[in-house]
Amino acid sequence: MLVIIRRRAVIAAIFCLVAVISAVLAASRAERTVASAQEKKILVIDPGHGGIDCGALAADGTKESAINLAISQKMRAIAELYGEKTVMTRDTEESKVSISEYSEHNDLLRRADIANKLNGAVLISVHQNNFPTVQPRGAQILYAPSDGSRELGLLAQSALVGFADSHNRRVAEKAPGKLLLTNSVGCPAILAECGFMSNPEEASMLCTGNYQLKLACALTAAYIQFAKNITPA
């Protein structure tokens, strides 16, 4: 009975969040430019790390890469529900190369290359933050130097605060030059640090399907607003 109740709660949460996306998008249409076929956007979803590179680790051993993938898969499902075309840079936790063959530099360039080869690509790279102490928390967007990235980043930061964590006071910032992915693409691109693995409370939230869904809804809603040129009221 408990399992059934939990399943119903998750299903209800999904419908509520999808309804929120629809309501926000409908209410925020101050202006809308109808995109031509040439302007059709493609959402490139990049679940950070993966395989040999697990990224940051929570205190209980949870891998950042697994959380990134879970959020990204939810983003893809929501985007496709709204008829948006998506491409994933990876869709499994399995490694396709051996430890001796793996290069983080080459892997990041491979991901950038996927976006650079697609007409109308918009890249959202999903990550989690980490810090030596447990205090820092909150999602933050880092936007690429490419055209349109700042606009997408501001939309995404606003959506993350509005949908997922109203107490978050972080703001979107330009990605530092040392971030290879965001500085290797020519399309609009952001890197979403969805929370801190080093903060026990936030790490626990990041492991739950409901919170992952909130983050996925926020990022997907921001993408749709950006792709459809919907100006928030």
Side-chain angles (χ1 to χ4, degrees):
M1 178 62 72
L2 182 58
V3 172
I4 294 174
I5 292 173
R6 285 178 176 172
R7 285 178 178 172
R8 287 176 177 172
V10 170
I11 292 171
I14 291 172
F15 278 107
C16 287
L17 285 166
V18 169
V20 167
I21 286 183
S22 299
V24 168
L25 294 180
S28 65
R29 286 185 180 93
E31 293 180 6
R32 177 171 180 167
T33 301
V34 178
S36 66
Q38 291 75 22
E39 295 172 323
K40 181 67 175 177
K41 304 296 185 185
I42 300 175
L43 174 57
V44 180
I45 307 171
D46 173 45
H49 305 285
I52 294 170
D53 177 13
C54 67
L57 288 173
D60 64 357
T62 300
K63 298 177 180 179
E64 175 193 347
S65 59
I67 296 175
N68 296 343
L69 182 59
I71 294 170
S72 297
Q73 289 171 331
K74 291 174 174 62
M75 287 176 62
R76 176 173 61 184
I78 296 167
E80 292 181 352
L81 178 65
Y82 280 86
E84 299 297 322
K85 185 175 180 180
T86 65
V87 171
M88 298 269 287
T89 61
R90 71 176 177 95
D91 55 12
T92 178
E93 273 290 273
E94 296 180 6
S95 205
K96 296 183 179 180
V97 298
S98 65
I99 295 177
S100 61
E101 296 173 321
Y102 178 74
S103 163
E104 181 182 8
H105 181 273
N106 290 342
D107 184 51
L108 291 171
L109 291 182
R110 176 191 66 81
R111 296 171 193 240
D113 193 49
I114 291 173
N116 286 332
K117 287 181 176 178
L118 292 171
N119 291 328
V122 176
L123 174 67
I124 298 181
S125 186
V126 179
H127 284 258
Q128 310 305 319
N129 222 327
N130 200 42
F131 201 73
T133 62
V134 300
Q135 288 82 9
R137 61 172 298 151
Q140 183 175 31
I141 296 296
L142 302 175
Y143 53 85
S146 49
D147 290 344
S149 296
R150 182 177 183 274
E151 291 78 3
L152 173 61
L154 293 176
L155 287 170
Q157 187 70 45
S158 177
L160 285 169
V161 173
F163 283 169
D165 184 5
S166 61
H167 299 292
N168 184 5
R169 294 296 177 263
R170 295 186 180 275
V171 297
E173 294 182 357
K174 185 176 181 179
K178 67 180 180 180
L179 282 183
L180 182 60
L181 180 62
T182 49
N183 284 276
S184 299
V185 294
C187 65
I190 59 173
L191 188 148
E193 297 279 15
C194 296
F196 280 81
M197 300 287 286
S198 49
N199 181 295
E201 181 182 358
E202 192 160 58
S204 179
M205 291 170 57
L206 289 166
C207 290
T208 66
N210 281 353
Y211 193 65
Q212 291 170 3
L213 185 60
K214 288 181 179 181
L215 295 167
C217 282
L219 294 173
T220 308
Y223 164 75
I224 294 175
Q225 284 180 299
F226 177 80
K228 305 302 182 186
N229 197 24
I230 300 172
T231 305

